[in-house]
Amino acid sequence: MMANVDWWLIGEATIDTLLMTGFSLLFTVLIGLPVGVLLFLTSPGQAVDNRAVYQTVAFIVNVLRSVPFLILLIVMIPFSRLVVGTALGVQGSIPPLVASAAPFFARLVENVLRELDPGVSEACRAMGATSRQTVLWALLPEATTGILAAVVVTAITLVGYSAMSGVIGGGGLGDLAVRYGYQRYQGDVMAVTVVILVIMVQVFQVFGDRWVAKLNRK
């Protein structure tokens, strides 16, 4: 019966999930964007072609992307405790969320930059622009809509990852679903958390698509 659902607890868990997603997305973009740009610039045929750097960074990115998130959660428990003082709750979930999402976002950024017209970079080099100036004044402005679309995709991915963190007491809706929906057999709580997560993803997708479409029209 839905009457048994503690809506105050549901509200707190929803806020925790939004906080986890928001902070993780912020750090993911701050880390993933420069890494994606570095992968693009050092790849074969680009302005700062450097095979050693590209292969090293690409290897690290691929390793982190290949580790299942639940395993990464467990492996990073000591690191989370070292960085934020705990491996539980919202704070404890952010390091593994960022470690998993940042490489994913970096690859998306790299792909977006690869899809740009090569003439943009060539024109900048012809005018004597440095690699830094080319990235800041030409490539990133041209790739804004693509990068924003990548941010939306990453945010939706983080919502799912944040729910998985509940398995080890990460807080949020996932933790609520595990503790009440699974361990205490409260199917109503499980159903409510699933519905809220679905709504959350839909809202992110709709508003993200509208934002991207608005920028495209400009």
PDB file of all heavy atoms in Angstrom, residues 60-99:
ATOM      1  N   ILE A  60      44.420   5.081 -19.912  1.00  0.00           N
ATOM      2  CA  ILE A  60      43.813   5.344 -18.603  1.00  0.00           C
ATOM      3  C   ILE A  60      42.298   5.516 -18.733  1.00  0.00           C
ATOM      4  O   ILE A  60      41.520   4.967 -17.948  1.00  0.00           O
ATOM      5  CB  ILE A  60      44.436   6.601 -17.965  1.00  0.00           C
ATOM      6  CG1 ILE A  60      45.925   6.367 -17.675  1.00  0.00           C
ATOM      7  CG2 ILE A  60      43.701   6.987 -16.679  1.00  0.00           C
ATOM      8  CD1 ILE A  60      46.684   7.611 -17.246  1.00  0.00           C
ATOM      9  N   VAL A  61      41.889   6.277 -19.749  1.00  0.00           N
ATOM     10  CA  VAL A  61      40.461   6.501 -19.989  1.00  0.00           C
ATOM     11  C   VAL A  61      39.755   5.189 -20.273  1.00  0.00           C
ATOM     12  O   VAL A  61      38.673   4.908 -19.724  1.00  0.00           O
ATOM     13  CB  VAL A  61      40.263   7.483 -21.158  1.00  0.00           C
ATOM     14  CG1 VAL A  61      38.822   7.474 -21.648  1.00  0.00           C
ATOM     15  CG2 VAL A  61      40.660   8.897 -20.731  1.00  0.00           C
ATOM     16  N   ASN A  62      40.354   4.348 -21.111  1.00  0.00           N
ATOM     17  CA  ASN A  62      39.727   3.077 -21.468  1.00  0.00           C
ATOM     18  C   ASN A  62      39.646   2.115 -20.282  1.00  0.00           C
ATOM     19  O   ASN A  62      38.667   1.379 -20.143  1.00  0.00           O
ATOM     20  CB  ASN A  62      40.494   2.417 -22.617  1.00  0.00           C
ATOM     21  CG  ASN A  62      40.323   3.168 -23.924  1.00  0.00           C
ATOM     22  OD1 ASN A  62      39.363   3.910 -24.098  1.00  0.00           O
ATOM     23  ND2 ASN A  62      41.266   2.994 -24.833  1.00  0.00           N
ATOM     24  N   VAL A  63      40.675   2.130 -19.434  1.00  0.00           N
ATOM     25  CA  VAL A  63      40.664   1.268 -18.248  1.00  0.00           C
ATOM     26  C   VAL A  63      39.515   1.660 -17.316  1.00  0.00           C
ATOM     27  O   VAL A  63      38.753   0.815 -16.859  1.00  0.00           O
ATOM     28  CB  VAL A  63      42.012   1.341 -17.501  1.00  0.00           C
ATOM     29  CG1 VAL A  63      41.890   0.708 -16.110  1.00  0.00           C
ATOM     30  CG2 VAL A  63      43.101   0.641 -18.299  1.00  0.00           C
ATOM     31  N   LEU A  64      39.398   2.951 -17.041  1.00  0.00           N
ATOM     32  CA  LEU A  64      38.340   3.415 -16.142  1.00  0.00           C
ATOM     33  C   LEU A  64      36.959   3.159 -16.735  1.00  0.00           C
ATOM     34  O   LEU A  64      36.014   2.826 -16.018  1.00  0.00           O
ATOM     35  CB  LEU A  64      38.518   4.905 -15.845  1.00  0.00           C
ATOM     36  CG  LEU A  64      39.703   5.267 -14.950  1.00  0.00           C
ATOM     37  CD1 LEU A  64      39.878   6.772 -14.865  1.00  0.00           C
ATOM     38  CD2 LEU A  64      39.512   4.674 -13.554  1.00  0.00           C
ATOM     39  N   ARG A  65      36.828   3.296 -18.059  1.00  0.00           N
ATOM     40  CA  ARG A  65      35.540   3.059 -18.707  1.00  0.00           C
ATOM     41  C   ARG A  65      35.174   1.585 -18.708  1.00  0.00           C
ATOM     42  O   ARG A  65      33.991   1.238 -18.728  1.00  0.00           O
ATOM     43  CB  ARG A  65      35.571   3.570 -20.148  1.00  0.00           C
ATOM     44  CG  ARG A  65      35.552   5.077 -20.285  1.00  0.00           C
ATOM     45  CD  ARG A  65      35.518   5.472 -21.739  1.00  0.00           C
ATOM     46  NE  ARG A  65      34.310   5.005 -22.389  1.00  0.00           N
ATOM     47  CZ  ARG A  65      34.150   4.926 -23.707  1.00  0.00           C
ATOM     48  NH1 ARG A  65      35.131   5.269 -24.505  1.00  0.00           N
ATOM     49  NH2 ARG A  65      33.024   4.484 -24.207  1.00  0.00           N
ATOM     50  N   SER A  66      36.177   0.718 -18.701  1.00  0.00           N
ATOM     51  CA  SER A  66      35.906  -0.716 -18.807  1.00  0.00           C
ATOM     52  C   SER A  66      35.557  -1.369 -17.474  1.00  0.00           C
ATOM     53  O   SER A  66      35.008  -2.480 -17.456  1.00  0.00           O
ATOM     54  CB  SER A  66      37.108  -1.434 -19.426  1.00  0.00           C
ATOM     55  OG  SER A  66      38.246  -1.333 -18.587  1.00  0.00           O
ATOM     56  N   VAL A  67      35.864  -0.695 -16.364  1.00  0.00           N
ATOM     57  CA  VAL A  67      35.566  -1.266 -15.040  1.00  0.00           C
ATOM     58  C   VAL A  67      34.083  -1.045 -14.725  1.00  0.00           C
ATOM     59  O   VAL A  67      33.625   0.103 -14.713  1.00  0.00           O
ATOM     60  CB  VAL A  67      36.433  -0.621 -13.940  1.00  0.00           C
ATOM     61  CG1 VAL A  67      36.082  -1.199 -12.574  1.00  0.00           C
ATOM     62  CG2 VAL A  67      37.905  -0.829 -14.240  1.00  0.00           C
ATOM     63  N   PRO A  68      33.317  -2.102 -14.474  1.00  0.00           N
ATOM     64  CA  PRO A  68      31.900  -1.926 -14.106  1.00  0.00           C
ATOM     65  C   PRO A  68      31.763  -1.013 -12.894  1.00  0.00           C
ATOM     66  O   PRO A  68      32.587  -1.077 -11.968  1.00  0.00           O
ATOM     67  CB  PRO A  68      31.447  -3.361 -13.780  1.00  0.00           C
ATOM     68  CG  PRO A  68      32.386  -4.232 -14.563  1.00  0.00           C
ATOM     69  CD  PRO A  68      33.707  -3.518 -14.548  1.00  0.00           C
ATOM     70  N   PHE A  69      30.726  -0.189 -12.890  1.00  0.00           N
ATOM     71  CA  PHE A  69      30.617   0.832 -11.855  1.00  0.00           C
ATOM     72  C   PHE A  69      30.510   0.239 -10.454  1.00  0.00           C
ATOM     73  O   PHE A  69      31.082   0.782  -9.505  1.00  0.00           O
ATOM     74  CB  PHE A  69      29.404   1.732 -12.122  1.00  0.00           C
ATOM     75  CG  PHE A  69      29.254   2.832 -11.111  1.00  0.00           C
ATOM     76  CD1 PHE A  69      30.213   3.819 -10.998  1.00  0.00           C
ATOM     77  CD2 PHE A  69      28.177   2.850 -10.247  1.00  0.00           C
ATOM     78  CE1 PHE A  69      30.095   4.827 -10.045  1.00  0.00           C
ATOM     79  CE2 PHE A  69      28.044   3.855  -9.296  1.00  0.00           C
ATOM     80  CZ  PHE A  69      29.009   4.849  -9.198  1.00  0.00           C
ATOM     81  N   LEU A  70      29.796  -0.868 -10.304  1.00  0.00           N
ATOM     82  CA  LEU A  70      29.667  -1.468  -8.976  1.00  0.00           C
ATOM     83  C   LEU A  70      31.022  -1.919  -8.430  1.00  0.00           C
ATOM     84  O   LEU A  70      31.298  -1.775  -7.237  1.00  0.00           O
ATOM     85  CB  LEU A  70      28.706  -2.662  -9.027  1.00  0.00           C
ATOM     86  CG  LEU A  70      27.223  -2.324  -9.152  1.00  0.00           C
ATOM     87  CD1 LEU A  70      26.392  -3.588  -9.281  1.00  0.00           C
ATOM     88  CD2 LEU A  70      26.747  -1.500  -7.956  1.00  0.00           C
ATOM     89  N   ILE A  71      31.871  -2.439  -9.307  1.00  0.00           N
ATOM     90  CA  ILE A  71      33.212  -2.840  -8.879  1.00  0.00           C
ATOM     91  C   ILE A  71      34.041  -1.606  -8.537  1.00  0.00           C
ATOM     92  O   ILE A  71      34.781  -1.586  -7.549  1.00  0.00           O
ATOM     93  CB  ILE A  71      33.900  -3.672  -9.980  1.00  0.00           C
ATOM     94  CG1 ILE A  71      33.144  -4.984 -10.190  1.00  0.00           C
ATOM     95  CG2 ILE A  71      35.365  -3.942  -9.627  1.00  0.00           C
ATOM     96  CD1 ILE A  71      33.680  -5.840 -11.302  1.00  0.00           C
ATOM     97  N   LEU A  72      33.906  -0.565  -9.358  1.00  0.00           N
ATOM     98  CA  LEU A  72      34.634   0.681  -9.099  1.00  0.00           C
ATOM     99  C   LEU A  72      34.237   1.282  -7.750  1.00  0.00           C
ATOM    100  O   LEU A  72      35.084   1.823  -7.027  1.00  0.00           O
ATOM    101  CB  LEU A  72      34.364   1.684 -10.219  1.00  0.00           C
ATOM    102  CG  LEU A  72      35.266   2.915 -10.280  1.00  0.00           C
ATOM    103  CD1 LEU A  72      36.712   2.510 -10.549  1.00  0.00           C
ATOM    104  CD2 LEU A  72      34.782   3.870 -11.365  1.00  0.00           C
ATOM    105  N   LEU A  73      32.961   1.183  -7.410  1.00  0.00           N
ATOM    106  CA  LEU A  73      32.485   1.677  -6.118  1.00  0.00           C
ATOM    107  C   LEU A  73      33.241   1.023  -4.967  1.00  0.00           C
ATOM    108  O   LEU A  73      33.675   1.691  -4.024  1.00  0.00           O
ATOM    109  CB  LEU A  73      30.989   1.368  -5.962  1.00  0.00           C
ATOM    110  CG  LEU A  73      29.974   2.370  -6.491  1.00  0.00           C
ATOM    111  CD1 LEU A  73      28.576   1.773  -6.385  1.00  0.00           C
ATOM    112  CD2 LEU A  73      30.046   3.682  -5.738  1.00  0.00           C
ATOM    113  N   ILE A  74      33.404  -0.289  -5.073  1.00  0.00           N
ATOM    114  CA  ILE A  74      34.058  -1.040  -3.995  1.00  0.00           C
ATOM    115  C   ILE A  74      35.562  -0.769  -3.978  1.00  0.00           C
ATOM    116  O   ILE A  74      36.155  -0.537  -2.919  1.00  0.00           O
ATOM    117  CB  ILE A  74      33.784  -2.545  -4.164  1.00  0.00           C
ATOM    118  CG1 ILE A  74      32.281  -2.803  -4.046  1.00  0.00           C
ATOM    119  CG2 ILE A  74      34.541  -3.356  -3.120  1.00  0.00           C
ATOM    120  CD1 ILE A  74      31.854  -4.200  -4.441  1.00  0.00           C
ATOM    121  N   VAL A  75      36.162  -0.778  -5.169  1.00  0.00           N
ATOM    122  CA  VAL A  75      37.614  -0.567  -5.268  1.00  0.00           C
ATOM    123  C   VAL A  75      38.013   0.804  -4.740  1.00  0.00           C
ATOM    124  O   VAL A  75      39.082   0.959  -4.128  1.00  0.00           O
ATOM    125  CB  VAL A  75      38.068  -0.731  -6.733  1.00  0.00           C
ATOM    126  CG1 VAL A  75      39.516  -0.279  -6.902  1.00  0.00           C
ATOM    127  CG2 VAL A  75      37.916  -2.173  -7.178  1.00  0.00           C
ATOM    128  N   MET A  76      37.148   1.801  -4.941  1.00  0.00           N
ATOM    129  CA  MET A  76      37.500   3.166  -4.572  1.00  0.00           C
ATOM    130  C   MET A  76      37.114   3.550  -3.145  1.00  0.00           C
ATOM    131  O   MET A  76      37.266   4.714  -2.765  1.00  0.00           O
ATOM    132  CB  MET A  76      36.859   4.153  -5.552  1.00  0.00           C
ATOM    133  CG  MET A  76      37.506   4.145  -6.925  1.00  0.00           C
ATOM    134  SD  MET A  76      36.978   5.543  -7.955  1.00  0.00           S
ATOM    135  CE  MET A  76      37.606   6.939  -7.018  1.00  0.00           C
ATOM    136  N   ILE A  77      36.648   2.617  -2.362  1.00  0.00           N
ATOM    137  CA  ILE A  77      36.272   2.925  -0.970  1.00  0.00           C
ATOM    138  C   ILE A  77      37.431   3.554  -0.197  1.00  0.00           C
ATOM    139  O   ILE A  77      37.256   4.601   0.451  1.00  0.00           O
ATOM    140  CB  ILE A  77      35.734   1.660  -0.263  1.00  0.00           C
ATOM    141  CG1 ILE A  77      34.320   1.340  -0.766  1.00  0.00           C
ATOM    142  CG2 ILE A  77      35.717   1.858   1.256  1.00  0.00           C
ATOM    143  CD1 ILE A  77      33.723   0.075  -0.189  1.00  0.00           C
ATOM    144  N   PRO A  78      38.655   2.985  -0.233  1.00  0.00           N
ATOM    145  CA  PRO A  78      39.772   3.630   0.489  1.00  0.00           C
ATOM    146  C   PRO A  78      40.076   5.031  -0.037  1.00  0.00           C
ATOM    147  O   PRO A  78      40.352   5.945   0.746  1.00  0.00           O
ATOM    148  CB  PRO A  78      40.949   2.678   0.242  1.00  0.00           C
ATOM    149  CG  PRO A  78      40.321   1.365  -0.088  1.00  0.00           C
ATOM    150  CD  PRO A  78      39.068   1.705  -0.837  1.00  0.00           C
ATOM    151  N   PHE A  79      40.017   5.210  -1.367  1.00  0.00           N
ATOM    152  CA  PHE A  79      40.296   6.521  -1.950  1.00  0.00           C
ATOM    153  C   PHE A  79      39.233   7.540  -1.534  1.00  0.00           C
ATOM    154  O   PHE A  79      39.563   8.690  -1.215  1.00  0.00           O
ATOM    155  CB  PHE A  79      40.340   6.409  -3.481  1.00  0.00           C
ATOM    156  CG  PHE A  79      40.605   7.713  -4.177  1.00  0.00           C
ATOM    157  CD1 PHE A  79      41.883   8.250  -4.208  1.00  0.00           C
ATOM    158  CD2 PHE A  79      39.580   8.424  -4.780  1.00  0.00           C
ATOM    159  CE1 PHE A  79      42.135   9.454  -4.845  1.00  0.00           C
ATOM    160  CE2 PHE A  79      39.818   9.630  -5.421  1.00  0.00           C
ATOM    161  CZ  PHE A  79      41.097  10.150  -5.447  1.00  0.00           C
ATOM    162  N   SER A  80      37.966   7.121  -1.535  1.00  0.00           N
ATOM    163  CA  SER A  80      36.883   8.027  -1.127  1.00  0.00           C
ATOM    164  C   SER A  80      37.059   8.462   0.319  1.00  0.00           C
ATOM    165  O   SER A  80      36.859   9.636   0.661  1.00  0.00           O
ATOM    166  CB  SER A  80      35.521   7.339  -1.309  1.00  0.00           C
ATOM    167  OG  SER A  80      35.287   7.030  -2.667  1.00  0.00           O
ATOM    168  N   ARG A  81      37.452   7.524   1.175  1.00  0.00           N
ATOM    169  CA  ARG A  81      37.684   7.863   2.584  1.00  0.00           C
ATOM    170  C   ARG A  81      38.842   8.842   2.719  1.00  0.00           C
ATOM    171  O   ARG A  81      38.812   9.748   3.555  1.00  0.00           O
ATOM    172  CB  ARG A  81      37.979   6.593   3.378  1.00  0.00           C
ATOM    173  CG  ARG A  81      36.744   5.724   3.626  1.00  0.00           C
ATOM    174  CD  ARG A  81      37.111   4.432   4.302  1.00  0.00           C
ATOM    175  NE  ARG A  81      35.933   3.626   4.596  1.00  0.00           N
ATOM    176  CZ  ARG A  81      35.960   2.332   4.891  1.00  0.00           C
ATOM    177  NH1 ARG A  81      37.130   1.695   4.940  1.00  0.00           N
ATOM    178  NH2 ARG A  81      34.843   1.678   5.134  1.00  0.00           N
ATOM    179  N   LEU A  82      39.857   8.669   1.882  1.00  0.00           N
ATOM    180  CA  LEU A  82      41.025   9.553   1.939  1.00  0.00           C
ATOM    181  C   LEU A  82      40.675  10.956   1.473  1.00  0.00           C
ATOM    182  O   LEU A  82      41.098  11.954   2.072  1.00  0.00           O
ATOM    183  CB  LEU A  82      42.144   8.971   1.061  1.00  0.00           C
ATOM    184  CG  LEU A  82      43.429   9.793   0.963  1.00  0.00           C
ATOM    185  CD1 LEU A  82      44.118   9.862   2.321  1.00  0.00           C
ATOM    186  CD2 LEU A  82      44.352   9.204  -0.086  1.00  0.00           C
ATOM    187  N   VAL A  83      39.868  11.054   0.409  1.00  0.00           N
ATOM    188  CA  VAL A  83      39.575  12.348  -0.213  1.00  0.00           C
ATOM    189  C   VAL A  83      38.487  13.116   0.530  1.00  0.00           C
ATOM    190  O   VAL A  83      38.628  14.313   0.800  1.00  0.00           O
ATOM    191  CB  VAL A  83      39.185  12.164  -1.693  1.00  0.00           C
ATOM    192  CG1 VAL A  83      38.723  13.478  -2.303  1.00  0.00           C
ATOM    193  CG2 VAL A  83      40.361  11.601  -2.477  1.00  0.00           C
ATOM    194  N   VAL A  84      37.366  12.445   0.829  1.00  0.00           N
ATOM    195  CA  VAL A  84      36.228  13.147   1.434  1.00  0.00           C
ATOM    196  C   VAL A  84      35.930  12.708   2.860  1.00  0.00           C
ATOM    197  O   VAL A  84      35.000  13.219   3.487  1.00  0.00           O
ATOM    198  CB  VAL A  84      34.957  12.967   0.560  1.00  0.00           C
ATOM    199  CG1 VAL A  84      35.158  13.581  -0.798  1.00  0.00           C
ATOM    200  CG2 VAL A  84      34.560  11.501   0.449  1.00  0.00           C
ATOM    201  N   GLY A  85      36.712  11.745   3.384  1.00  0.00           N
ATOM    202  CA  GLY A  85      36.548  11.345   4.779  1.00  0.00           C
ATOM    203  C   GLY A  85      35.544  10.239   5.018  1.00  0.00           C
ATOM    204  O   GLY A  85      35.398   9.770   6.146  1.00  0.00           O
ATOM    205  N   THR A  86      34.844   9.804   3.974  1.00  0.00           N
ATOM    206  CA  THR A  86      33.858   8.735   4.127  1.00  0.00           C
ATOM    207  C   THR A  86      33.611   8.080   2.774  1.00  0.00           C
ATOM    208  O   THR A  86      33.829   8.697   1.728  1.00  0.00           O
ATOM    209  CB  THR A  86      32.530   9.270   4.689  1.00  0.00           C
ATOM    210  OG1 THR A  86      31.589   8.193   4.813  1.00  0.00           O
ATOM    211  CG2 THR A  86      31.935  10.332   3.774  1.00  0.00           C
ATOM    212  N   ALA A  87      33.156   6.821   2.835  1.00  0.00           N
ATOM    213  CA  ALA A  87      32.792   6.117   1.600  1.00  0.00           C
ATOM    214  C   ALA A  87      31.279   5.953   1.513  1.00  0.00           C
ATOM    215  O   ALA A  87      30.781   5.291   0.601  1.00  0.00           O
ATOM    216  CB  ALA A  87      33.473   4.745   1.548  1.00  0.00           C
ATOM    217  N   LEU A  88      30.567   6.559   2.460  1.00  0.00           N
ATOM    218  CA  LEU A  88      29.113   6.414   2.518  1.00  0.00           C
ATOM    219  C   LEU A  88      28.424   7.745   2.221  1.00  0.00           C
ATOM    220  O   LEU A  88      29.046   8.807   2.260  1.00  0.00           O
ATOM    221  CB  LEU A  88      28.686   5.921   3.913  1.00  0.00           C
ATOM    222  CG  LEU A  88      29.296   4.599   4.376  1.00  0.00           C
ATOM    223  CD1 LEU A  88      28.871   4.302   5.809  1.00  0.00           C
ATOM    224  CD2 LEU A  88      28.880   3.460   3.452  1.00  0.00           C
ATOM    225  N   GLY A  89      27.139   7.667   1.939  1.00  0.00           N
ATOM    226  CA  GLY A  89      26.346   8.869   1.736  1.00  0.00           C
ATOM    227  C   GLY A  89      26.691   9.604   0.445  1.00  0.00           C
ATOM    228  O   GLY A  89      27.387   9.086  -0.420  1.00  0.00           O
ATOM    229  N   VAL A  90      26.178  10.827   0.351  1.00  0.00           N
ATOM    230  CA  VAL A  90      26.375  11.635  -0.849  1.00  0.00           C
ATOM    231  C   VAL A  90      27.858  11.911  -1.090  1.00  0.00           C
ATOM    232  O   VAL A  90      28.367  11.740  -2.202  1.00  0.00           O
ATOM    233  CB  VAL A  90      25.605  12.970  -0.729  1.00  0.00           C
ATOM    234  CG1 VAL A  90      25.930  13.886  -1.896  1.00  0.00           C
ATOM    235  CG2 VAL A  90      24.104  12.712  -0.669  1.00  0.00           C
ATOM    236  N   GLN A  91      28.572  12.325  -0.043  1.00  0.00           N
ATOM    237  CA  GLN A  91      29.994  12.655  -0.194  1.00  0.00           C
ATOM    238  C   GLN A  91      30.806  11.459  -0.667  1.00  0.00           C
ATOM    239  O   GLN A  91      31.639  11.578  -1.561  1.00  0.00           O
ATOM    240  CB  GLN A  91      30.561  13.152   1.138  1.00  0.00           C
ATOM    241  CG  GLN A  91      30.146  14.573   1.510  1.00  0.00           C
ATOM    242  CD  GLN A  91      30.778  15.004   2.827  1.00  0.00           C
ATOM    243  OE1 GLN A  91      30.603  14.351   3.852  1.00  0.00           O
ATOM    244  NE2 GLN A  91      31.517  16.083   2.798  1.00  0.00           N
ATOM    245  N   GLY A  92      30.571  10.312  -0.063  1.00  0.00           N
ATOM    246  CA  GLY A  92      31.343   9.121  -0.396  1.00  0.00           C
ATOM    247  C   GLY A  92      31.081   8.603  -1.795  1.00  0.00           C
ATOM    248  O   GLY A  92      31.911   7.881  -2.360  1.00  0.00           O
ATOM    249  N   SER A  93      29.944   8.959  -2.370  1.00  0.00           N
ATOM    250  CA  SER A  93      29.594   8.467  -3.711  1.00  0.00           C
ATOM    251  C   SER A  93      30.188   9.320  -4.825  1.00  0.00           C
ATOM    252  O   SER A  93      30.343   8.840  -5.957  1.00  0.00           O
ATOM    253  CB  SER A  93      28.068   8.437  -3.870  1.00  0.00           C
ATOM    254  OG  SER A  93      27.472   7.544  -2.954  1.00  0.00           O
ATOM    255  N   ILE A  94      30.513  10.569  -4.528  1.00  0.00           N
ATOM    256  CA  ILE A  94      30.964  11.480  -5.584  1.00  0.00           C
ATOM    257  C   ILE A  94      32.279  11.048  -6.239  1.00  0.00           C
ATOM    258  O   ILE A  94      32.374  11.056  -7.484  1.00  0.00           O
ATOM    259  CB  ILE A  94      31.043  12.919  -5.042  1.00  0.00           C
ATOM    260  CG1 ILE A  94      29.621  13.440  -4.777  1.00  0.00           C
ATOM    261  CG2 ILE A  94      31.764  13.832  -6.022  1.00  0.00           C
ATOM    262  CD1 ILE A  94      29.566  14.818  -4.149  1.00  0.00           C
ATOM    263  N   PRO A  95      33.342  10.663  -5.478  1.00  0.00           N
ATOM    264  CA  PRO A  95      34.595  10.262  -6.152  1.00  0.00           C
ATOM    265  C   PRO A  95      34.429   9.128  -7.161  1.00  0.00           C
ATOM    266  O   PRO A  95      34.888   9.256  -8.297  1.00  0.00           O
ATOM    267  CB  PRO A  95      35.509   9.874  -4.979  1.00  0.00           C
ATOM    268  CG  PRO A  95      35.021  10.712  -3.845  1.00  0.00           C
ATOM    269  CD  PRO A  95      33.532  10.742  -4.002  1.00  0.00           C
ATOM    270  N   PRO A  96      33.773   8.003  -6.807  1.00  0.00           N
ATOM    271  CA  PRO A  96      33.616   6.952  -7.825  1.00  0.00           C
ATOM    272  C   PRO A  96      32.708   7.365  -8.973  1.00  0.00           C
ATOM    273  O   PRO A  96      32.918   6.938 -10.111  1.00  0.00           O
ATOM    274  CB  PRO A  96      33.013   5.775  -7.039  1.00  0.00           C
ATOM    275  CG  PRO A  96      32.454   6.357  -5.797  1.00  0.00           C
ATOM    276  CD  PRO A  96      33.302   7.534  -5.486  1.00  0.00           C
ATOM    277  N   LEU A  97      31.715   8.205  -8.703  1.00  0.00           N
ATOM    278  CA  LEU A  97      30.851   8.689  -9.779  1.00  0.00           C
ATOM    279  C   LEU A  97      31.668   9.503 -10.792  1.00  0.00           C
ATOM    280  O   LEU A  97      31.529   9.327 -12.005  1.00  0.00           O
ATOM    281  CB  LEU A  97      29.722   9.553  -9.212  1.00  0.00           C
ATOM    282  CG  LEU A  97      28.562   8.818  -8.535  1.00  0.00           C
ATOM    283  CD1 LEU A  97      27.651   9.812  -7.811  1.00  0.00           C
ATOM    284  CD2 LEU A  97      27.753   8.019  -9.551  1.00  0.00           C
ATOM    285  N   VAL A  98      32.526  10.372 -10.277  1.00  0.00           N
ATOM    286  CA  VAL A  98      33.364  11.195 -11.160  1.00  0.00           C
ATOM    287  C   VAL A  98      34.380  10.329 -11.896  1.00  0.00           C
ATOM    288  O   VAL A  98      34.608  10.502 -13.100  1.00  0.00           O
ATOM    289  CB  VAL A  98      34.081  12.293 -10.349  1.00  0.00           C
ATOM    290  CG1 VAL A  98      35.062  13.056 -11.232  1.00  0.00           C
ATOM    291  CG2 VAL A  98      33.062  13.246  -9.741  1.00  0.00           C
ATOM    292  N   ALA A  99      34.982   9.371 -11.183  1.00  0.00           N
ATOM    293  CA  ALA A  99      35.985   8.494 -11.801  1.00  0.00           C
ATOM    294  C   ALA A  99      35.387   7.671 -12.927  1.00  0.00           C
ATOM    295  O   ALA A  99      36.072   7.335 -13.906  1.00  0.00           O
ATOM    296  CB  ALA A  99      36.592   7.570 -10.744  1.00  0.00           C
TER     297      ALA A  99
END
